[in-house]
Amino acid sequence: MSWIDIGHIDDVPVRGARLLKTQVGCIAVFRTAETEVFAASNSCPHKQGPLVEGIVHGQKVTCPLHNWVFDLNTGEAQGADEGRIETYPVRLDGDRILIDGDAVGQRSAA
């Protein structure tokens, strides 16, 4: 994996999200707790709702358009809804958020 620094943990509010533009499209970076982050496709497969504007709860996000709920660990829709969103490897290094550059089509400058 080729890790890319995408910002400080405080750039994303707790139970909030930030949009990251990449070569594979827009990715939502979610902060579910003080030191827990996830990255997933920003687009709900139902009606392409912007998940970055959704409600973050536990390790899930609810689409702002039609209330579909996605597990941020697996990308799977919860309940009776069928579908999934793409998830991407992300981790913290101290207070910096890193995403796998290979997964998002980018390489680090190193």
Side-chain angles (χ1 to χ4, degrees):
M1 287 186 199
S2 171
W3 295 102
I4 297 174
D5 185 321
I6 58 170
H8 193 278
I9 185 74
D10 291 337
D11 292 341
V12 183
V14 175
R15 290 180 303 283
R18 174 180 155 222
L19 191 63
L20 175 67
K21 294 181 181 180
T22 74
Q23 293 176 3
V24 297
C26 290
I27 293 175
V29 177
F30 300 96
R31 183 174 175 194
T32 57
E34 286 298 322
T35 59
E36 185 175 64
V37 292
F38 294 90
S41 169
N42 185 48
S43 185
C44 176
H46 177 224
K47 298 274 184 174
Q48 283 63 59
L51 295 177
V52 74
E53 296 175 16
I55 298 169
V56 178
H57 48 101
Q59 294 181 337
K60 297 177 175 61
V61 64
T62 299
C63 178
L65 295 185
H66 297 97
N67 296 323
W68 279 32
V69 177
F70 297 93
D71 183 316
L72 293 171
N73 291 287
T74 65
E76 295 294 323
Q78 306 295 288
D81 299 322
E82 293 184 21
R84 72 178 303 280
I85 55 174
E86 189 70 35
T87 59
Y88 301 93
V90 66
R91 68 181 176 94
L92 290 175
D93 182 11
D95 57 6
R96 305 301 297 176
I97 302 171
L98 306 177
I99 194 164
D100 179 12
D102 295 332
V104 299
Q106 296 180 351
R107 295 264 180 194
S108 64

